Amino acid sequence: MRKVALKQQIIRSDSETLVSHSSDDISPVTSPTVRRAADAKFPMQSSGSLTNVFLADGSALDATVGIAQLDISAAASIGVAKTQPGASLKLRKKVTDARGPISRCHFSGSTSVLYTASLDGSLCVYDCDSDKFLARMKVHAAGITDMDVSPNNDLAVASVADGKVHLIDLVNKKRLQVWDSISRCATAVRFEPIEASHVCFGDETGTLTLLSIKDPTIPPVKIQSLVNSLTFGRITALCWSGKTIFVGDASGKVAILAFDAEKNTMRLLRYGVYKAKVSGLAHSAKYNLLVVNTANNHMHVVDGTSLSLIRVFTRPNDQGDIRSCFLDDQTVVSGSDDGSVYVFDVKTGQLVTVGEGGHRVPVPTVDCSSDRRLLCSVTSSEMCIWESQELL
């Protein structure tokens, strides 16, 4: 195995085959209970936990301009938040043979192929249409904390609990490279979303690292300080949209950074501070909306450029690390601590539908296929495959 030193990083070439195949069927389940959105207790607050927004020079801005004043629980009784006619989530399959506690799930583009990362260090592949477990790739002995798939579905990148980040060839099921972070734990990772030319990952020290895949001899770019002596806490969420990188950390900060591929740089534009850990980030490019999940049961919808607050949704019982994803440009799917999957329109504030019956424990992670047909929700021990019906 060849090693090339890059400051505090190591890049390794590795031709080890990572895959073992199986033809196990996914067991069918009975239809779930789908609750009408108007019956769901999903109140929305007007303030949330955003405390302030700052420019890169540290100057403060008013982040509360344009906050929506709507309470879904009250609006439901007067018909404002009624579900779309016929809109529902239909549970197709429940998968309990997940090959280890699941930490993340990711659909491969518009196809029915679903990847799951596990805390046993494996990356599993399922075909949701044929209901087949296709492959299991043993990435590392340590648990996978986060993963992403390239736009062409030919590469995967996985951050691991021992501080390493693995680049995997999904076509040939081989490990291509391994980067070592300066931390004992790499916590979040994303591909550059257009050409997969770069990888960005964060770790528990609050260090954000940018790496070139096309030219691994280029030294990595690292960011930890935001402004003056202010630094990132443990990186907990990454979202990369176009030339913009959104970063969330355990101390409640959300930062917007501009990415320049030619210069191989990241530049801080502004950041916001929340009252609780940021557990998830999702971005809608069409409307430039950023969804910020925080660990104190809030889901904030903010402007993706200014970070100005638009809406805040909350559930009283959600205290865990809940994440959300966009089904389309303005429809968001979210997990919850009560085991349900919620779908709502972030622009109108309308709760669209609630899918129940899939899980009996908290649902921290969800993902949607890019053709908007399939959804996946996962717990530590199982995942559910849903079909979206008349949600668009």
Side-chain angles (χ1 to χ4, degrees):
M1 185 181 299
R2 180 176 58 87
K3 297 184 179 181
V4 180
L6 289 182
K7 295 185 177 179
Q8 292 175 320
Q9 307 252 119
I10 299 175
I11 296 181
R12 303 194 297 229
S13 298
D14 193 339
S15 60
E16 175 190 355
T17 300
L18 299 174
V19 63
S20 61
H21 293 278
S22 171
S23 59
D24 297 344
D25 289 343
I26 298 175
S27 302
V29 297
T30 57
S31 298
T33 301
V34 179
R35 188 168 61 192
R36 292 175 58 249
D39 298 331
K41 301 301 180 182
F42 203 118
M44 182 166 62
Q45 296 183 349
S46 60
S47 57
S49 58
L50 177 63
T51 59
N52 221 331
V53 172
F54 301 86
L55 294 174
D57 62 4
S59 56
L61 301 172
D62 182 3
T64 61
V65 176
I67 296 178
Q69 303 287 335
L70 178 64
D71 187 318
I72 281 187
S73 59
S77 63
I78 59 174
V80 175
K82 287 184 178 179
T83 182
Q84 296 177 9
S88 66
L89 294 179
K90 179 183 178 182
L91 183 59
R92 288 183 48 174
K93 299 288 179 180
K94 179 183 289 188
V95 184
T96 57
D97 185 14
R99 271 46 175 193
I102 304 172
S103 55
R104 291 292 189 275
C105 61
H106 189 94
F107 273 101
S108 177
S110 62
T111 72
S112 62
V113 176
L114 177 70
Y115 296 89
T116 63
S118 301
L119 295 179
D120 68 351
S122 62
L123 185 67
C124 295
V125 187
Y126 299 87
D127 189 312
C128 299
D129 281 341
S130 65
D131 299 331
K132 297 289 186 180
F133 172 75
L134 301 179
R136 177 177 182 263
M137 292 168 273
K138 187 64 175 179
V139 176
H140 200 274
I144 298 176
T145 58
D146 197 11
M147 59 89 66
D148 196 16
V149 177
S150 66
N152 293 329
N153 306 318
D154 57 344
L155 298 173
V157 63
S159 58
V160 181
D162 70 346
K164 294 179 173 59
V165 176
H166 296 250
L167 181 66
I168 301 164
D169 181 343
L170 293 176
V171 177
N172 299 305
K173 308 297 189 294
K174 295 182 182 295
R175 183 186 295 111
L176 298 178
Q177 294 176 343
V178 179
W179 296 281
D180 287 345
S181 73
I182 65 173
S183 168
R184 294 170 297 177
C185 181
T187 53
V189 63
R190 287 294 179 270
F191 276 112
E192 182 273 317
I194 300 174
E195 299 179 351
S197 61
H198 290 72
V199 165
C200 182
F201 71 89
D203 61 33
E204 65 179 5
T205 69
T207 301
L208 192 67
T209 301
L210 179 69
L211 294 163
S212 173
I213 296 178
K214 293 184 176 180
D215 186 357
T217 63
I218 297 177
V221 175
K222 297 179 182 293
I223 290 182
Q224 188 173 37
S225 297
L226 292 175
V227 57
N228 299 327
S229 60
L230 185 66
T231 61
F232 279 123
R234 182 178 188 267
I235 304 296
T236 53
L238 279 177
C239 178
W240 199 332
S241 181
K243 296 182 178 180
T244 305
I245 304 173
F246 302 96
V247 187
D249 75 0
S251 64
K253 291 187 287 293
V254 171
I256 303 178
L257 297 97
F259 165 70
D260 190 318
E262 292 184 1
K263 297 180 180 179
N264 195 53
T265 59
M266 297 180 291
R267 178 173 57 88
L268 177 67
L269 299 179
R270 66 180 59 196
Y271 64 95
V273 181
Y274 294 79
K275 296 178 183 177
K277 176 176 70 173
V278 177
S279 59
L281 296 169
H283 184 255
S284 165
K286 181 176 181 179
Y287 296 112
N288 193 26
L289 297 175
L290 181 68
V291 169
V292 181
N293 296 104
T294 54
N296 61 343
N297 76 27
H298 291 91
M299 186 176 70
H300 308 76
V301 182
V302 303
D303 182 276
T305 299
S306 67
L307 289 182
S308 295
L309 194 57
I310 299 171
R311 297 184 186 276
V312 181
F313 296 86
T314 184
R315 282 186 56 80
N317 296 324
D318 285 352
Q319 299 295 333
D321 291 346
I322 304 299
R323 301 176 187 88
S324 304
C325 69
F326 277 94
L327 177 64
D328 60 18
D329 292 309
Q330 67 182 71
T331 308
V332 167
V333 181
S334 182
S336 69
D337 273 357
D338 64 16
S340 301
V341 177
Y342 291 85
V343 183
F344 50 90
D345 188 314
V346 295
K347 291 197 73 178
T348 66
Q350 181 186 43
L351 181 61
V352 178
T353 192
V354 184
E356 292 183 316
H359 306 283
R360 297 181 181 273
V361 295
V363 180
T365 301
V366 292
D367 196 38
C368 308
S369 60
S370 59
D371 63 2
R372 309 167 185 176
R373 181 173 58 94
L374 298 173
L375 292 84
C376 176
S377 58
V378 303
T379 69
S380 60
S381 60
E382 65 184 13
M383 69 180 185
C384 289
I385 309 300
W386 308 77
E387 279 185 324
S388 61
Q389 298 183 329
E390 300 185 41
L391 291 178
L392 308 177

